[in-house]
Amino acid sequence: MVGIRAKQKEKTRRALINAALNQLSPQTTFSSLSLREVAREANIAPTSFYRHFQNMDELGLTLVDEAGLTLRQLLRQSRQRLADGGSVIRISVEIFMDFISQNSSVFRLLLQERSGTSKEFRMAIAREIEHFKSELTDYLHAERDLPEWLAEIQADAMVRIVFSAGADALDLTAAERAAIAEQTIIQLRMIARGSDTMKKEDK
Amino acid sequence: MVGIRAKQKEKTRRALINAALNQLSPQTTFSSLSLREVAREANIAPTSFYRHFQNMDELGLTLVDEAGLTLRQLLRQSRQRLADGGSVIRISVEIFMDFISQNSSVFRLLLQERSGTSKEFRMAIAREIEHFKSELTDYLHAERDLPEWLAEIQADAMVRIVFSAGADALDLTAAERAAIAEQTIIQLRMIARGSDTMKKEDK
DNA sequence: AAATTCAGCGTACAGTTGTTCGCTAAAAGT
DNA sequence: ACTTTTAGCGAACAACTGTACGCTGAATTT
């Protein structure tokens, strides 16, 4: 039996998390967010914050974890749609763009704190991106029959392009986002082509 | 004749600029920098700050301009070394990596404020990167004989890769930086190859 | 039924922030 | 020689920050 007490605690914990997420915007970084602001938005006394997190940093790391979780969902979603057939690259890019427009706050957090002040943050985010990259590497190695070193380099390039394009797409309208998506697709194909010729030469 | 007064003013203005730059580090964002901290570091009363800049934002934009200037120097430097012959890609990447290790503070500023809270900052930085990109586009169009649309997309991809790799390289040792440089070179060649096959198909 | 735990609160404090205002002394202009 | 300009200063302000402390009342345990 989950006590009514524990349930309530979890509830205001979520309130804090959501309060933080809601405040994130093009005009507000997570690191520019104060404990008091977050507590206010969550309808809680500033001092009560400490019942749930030691620090703002701890809250932030929780958010990064959430972001990672969402990214994994993204991957699962891709794999499923891929099974139905279609261009791998197009589907992946479209799903990614959908993700950032639906989870813009979380994605913004990742982008901002990737070059932020906390080493712990940066490392946590690097880990999430690394995970992303290694899944892609495996795919290229297994499905596309690339030697591992090439697969890794190609995956790295692709992830860099996609995240960078995502960053630019973040604050744009749906139409502009679609345009960036198209360009990104071409760029990824460019990379795939180049990688392919390299593979042939290597043999 | 430049009055001794104007000269002194310029001097403390530089002191402010340098104070800001010196404070930037992996642990300190520009936007986390307070007017008073900067004034303190520059050995100036907080209130005197306003004799030189209206805002911290105005100081920041000045720094971005400086960064842009340094980037242009970089481009000129590349062109010169290119005239001496050698791999375009290798030379460009190596010069870029040199740049970020010698101007790490400025580059960090660009990276951080690119996804920061001030629209004006973001736009100023986007402009600098755009400039970079368009130079590369022209080169690819003229020298490599690519159709303009392809040149632009390829340039965009390359700039994304290079800046992203630069961001990762920022806090690494010289050896690690060299490793990233090598990988980046391969990735850029990959893109160039892919772009080439696309050009041939297009004809 | 009594004792314990604990999420949430209000008060309080010291520290930092951006900015206003009026002053000074030296340089520049006349 | 005079007046004007102006870079730099110190004091003062209200606003905000993070956090320590002790209390309360309800949920939980005994």
Side-chain angles (χ1 to χ4, degrees):
Chain A
M1 157 192 159
V2 279
I4 126 166
R5 203 171 201 167
K7 196 160 279 183
Q8 173 59 25
K9 181 166 186 182
E10 183 56 25
K11 202 170 145 195
T12 79
R13 188 188 138 99
R14 291 290 338 161
L16 282 171
I17 292 177
N18 289 331
L21 276 182
N22 283 339
Q23 310 241 21
L24 293 186
S25 75
Q27 286 78 41
T28 325
T29 324
F30 175 79
S31 53
S32 79
L33 222 56
S34 79
L35 183 154
R36 287 177 109 105
E37 278 176 312
V38 174
R40 210 176 302 138
E41 173 92 4
N43 289 315
I44 263 189
T47 50
S48 300
F49 179 95
Y50 297 102
R51 301 287 183 200
H52 304 272
F53 303 98
Q54 274 202 333
N55 273 324
M56 278 294 286
D57 272 24
E58 203 177 301
L59 208 199
L61 288 173
T62 306
L63 292 186
V64 174
D65 274 6
E66 297 249 322
L69 237 99
T70 324
L71 275 177
R72 316 273 163 89
Q73 285 176 18
L74 192 75
L75 283 172
R76 238 175 291 133
Q77 205 179 333
S78 313
R79 272 197 283 267
Q80 178 166 352
R81 255 217 252 168
L82 273 177
D84 306 351
S87 154
V88 193
I89 287 180
R90 155 153 268 121
I91 288 180
S92 305
V93 171
E94 281 170 359
I95 287 188
F96 192 81
M97 289 292 173
D98 276 6
F99 166 74
I100 66 168
S101 61
Q102 275 162 32
N103 303 75
S104 51
S105 288
V106 186
F107 191 66
R108 221 190 303 278
L109 173 78
L110 290 185
L111 288 177
Q112 290 170 340
E113 300 309 317
R114 178 154 68 141
S115 46
T117 55
S118 155
K119 183 157 195 168
E120 213 174 345
F121 269 56
R122 291 196 305 260
M123 278 174 46
I125 293 170
R127 224 180 300 126
E128 297 298 341
I129 294 181
E130 196 58 38
H131 183 90
F132 211 81
K133 189 177 112 187
S134 88
E135 295 249 0
L136 185 50
T137 303
D138 289 352
Y139 171 81
L140 292 172
H141 181 49
E143 225 75 21
R144 294 291 157 127
D145 210 32
L146 289 180
E148 195 149 348
W149 69 274
L150 235 191
E152 184 160 352
I153 292 187
Q154 183 185 345
D156 186 88
M158 288 182 140
V159 170
R160 286 191 194 284
I161 295 261
V162 169
F163 270 75
S164 167
D168 286 352
L170 200 49
D171 304 321
L172 303 182
T173 66
E176 293 168 310
R177 217 169 17 241
I180 287 205
E182 286 308 318
Q183 174 172 289
T184 305
I185 289 171
I186 297 179
Q187 291 170 333
L188 295 186
R189 286 191 176 141
M190 213 176 254
I191 292 176
R193 291 291 188 86
S195 173
D196 223 47
T197 72
M198 283 182 168
K199 167 187 154 203
K200 281 169 189 155
E201 282 169 15
D202 198 48
K203 275 187 182 165
Chain B
M1 157 189 162
V2 277
I4 126 167
R5 202 169 202 166
K7 196 160 280 183
Q8 173 58 25
K9 181 164 186 183
E10 184 56 24
K11 201 170 143 195
T12 78
R13 189 188 137 99
R14 291 287 341 159
L16 282 170
I17 291 176
N18 289 330
L21 276 181
N22 283 338
Q23 311 242 20
L24 293 185
S25 77
Q27 286 77 40
T28 325
T29 325
F30 175 80
S31 53
S32 80
L33 221 57
S34 79
L35 183 153
R36 286 177 110 106
E37 278 175 311
V38 174
R40 211 176 299 137
E41 172 93 4
N43 288 315
I44 264 189
T47 49
S48 301
F49 179 95
Y50 296 103
R51 301 287 183 200
H52 303 272
F53 303 98
Q54 273 203 334
N55 273 323
M56 279 294 286
D57 272 24
E58 202 178 301
L59 208 199
L61 288 173
T62 305
L63 293 184
V64 173
D65 274 7
E66 297 247 325
L69 236 99
T70 324
L71 274 177
R72 315 272 163 90
Q73 285 174 19
L74 193 76
L75 284 171
R76 239 175 292 135
Q77 206 180 333
S78 313
R79 271 195 285 264
Q80 178 167 352
R81 254 217 254 169
L82 273 177
D84 306 350
S87 153
V88 193
I89 286 179
R90 158 155 265 122
I91 289 180
S92 304
V93 170
E94 281 171 358
I95 287 189
F96 192 81
M97 288 294 173
D98 277 7
F99 166 73
I100 67 167
S101 61
Q102 276 162 32
N103 304 75
S104 51
S105 288
V106 185
F107 191 65
R108 219 190 305 277
L109 172 77
L110 289 186
L111 287 177
Q112 289 169 341
E113 299 308 318
R114 178 152 70 138
S115 45
T117 54
S118 154
K119 183 158 197 168
E120 213 174 346
F121 268 56
R122 292 196 304 261
M123 279 174 45
I125 292 170
R127 225 179 299 126
E128 298 297 341
I129 294 181
E130 195 57 39
H131 184 91
F132 210 80
K133 191 178 110 186
S134 87
E135 295 248 1
L136 185 50
T137 303
D138 289 352
Y139 171 83
L140 292 171
H141 181 48
E143 226 76 20
R144 295 290 156 128
D145 211 32
L146 289 180
E148 196 150 347
W149 70 272
L150 235 193
E152 183 159 350
I153 292 186
Q154 184 186 344
D156 185 88
M158 288 181 141
V159 170
R160 286 191 195 284
I161 295 261
V162 169
F163 270 76
S164 167
D168 285 352
L170 201 48
D171 305 319
L172 303 182
T173 67
E176 293 168 311
R177 217 168 18 239
I180 287 204
E182 287 308 316
Q183 175 172 288
T184 304
I185 289 170
I186 298 179
Q187 290 171 334
L188 294 186
R189 288 193 175 137
M190 211 176 252
I191 292 176
R193 291 291 187 86
S195 172
D196 223 47
T197 72
M198 281 182 169
K199 168 187 152 200
K200 280 168 191 155
E201 282 170 16
D202 198 47
K203 276 187 181 168

